[in-house]
Amino acid sequence: MTMIRRGLRGRCPVCGEGKLFAGFLTIAPACDRCGAAFAHIHADDAPPYIVIFLVGHLLVPVIFWVEKTWMPPMWLHMALWLPLFTIICTLMLRPVKGAVLGWMLRLGPLGDTAEATIAPRPSARADGDA
């Protein structure tokens, strides 16, 4: 849990002091304090999936409650909920990505680069038959 909490704060999951991000969502190649390498870690689609899952489960019940209670017109729903979903998802994406990276570092994934060095892909057969 320590590495996940450090990632949530945008800090190096290993030492807790260095920066995890070089940009808004760009991962730093390595920690500037302890030198832990982050270049081989790829979170891919996990952070957006988790964010959409959480925000959807938080806001959809509120949307249904507002609809049942006041029955506002559809344009008001769109004017209110779409920007709210966008803002909340954007604000949650960086901490969730940091937490996922901390979790992945804790689990010790290999990634594509390490996988290619451990188990190279089979090449074409030597006799020319494909």
Side-chain angles (χ1 to χ4, degrees):
M1 286 304 289
T2 301
M3 294 181 95
I4 294 173
R5 279 193 302 270
R6 289 174 179 169
L8 270 170
R9 291 190 341 250
R11 297 290 174 198
C12 171
V14 178
C15 69
E17 294 181 17
K19 293 184 178 182
L20 181 60
F21 294 98
F24 179 66
L25 290 175
T26 306
I27 302 299
C31 176
D32 56 355
R33 299 285 178 128
C34 69
F38 306 133
H40 67 286
I41 304 294
H42 302 287
D44 294 333
D45 292 337
Y49 176 79
I50 293 169
V51 167
I52 291 169
F53 181 81
L54 292 174
V55 173
H57 279 81
L58 291 173
L59 287 183
V60 168
V62 176
I63 293 170
F64 285 151
W65 177 74
V66 167
E67 174 63 29
K68 185 173 173 130
T69 305
W70 291 295
M71 288 187 264
M74 188 55 66
W75 67 266
L76 186 59
H77 277 297
M78 295 300 134
L80 175 66
W81 301 116
L82 289 178
L84 191 59
F85 266 96
T86 304
I87 291 167
I88 292 174
C89 286
T90 303
L91 292 175
M92 284 184 66
L93 194 53
R94 183 176 167 139
V96 169
K97 185 172 183 176
V100 168
L101 289 170
W103 184 36
M104 291 174 74
L105 277 171
R106 173 64 180 98
L107 294 176
L110 296 176
D112 294 339
T113 308
E115 200 173 90
T117 60
I118 293 172
R121 297 176 192 235
S123 60
R125 292 174 28 186
D127 61 357
D129 293 336

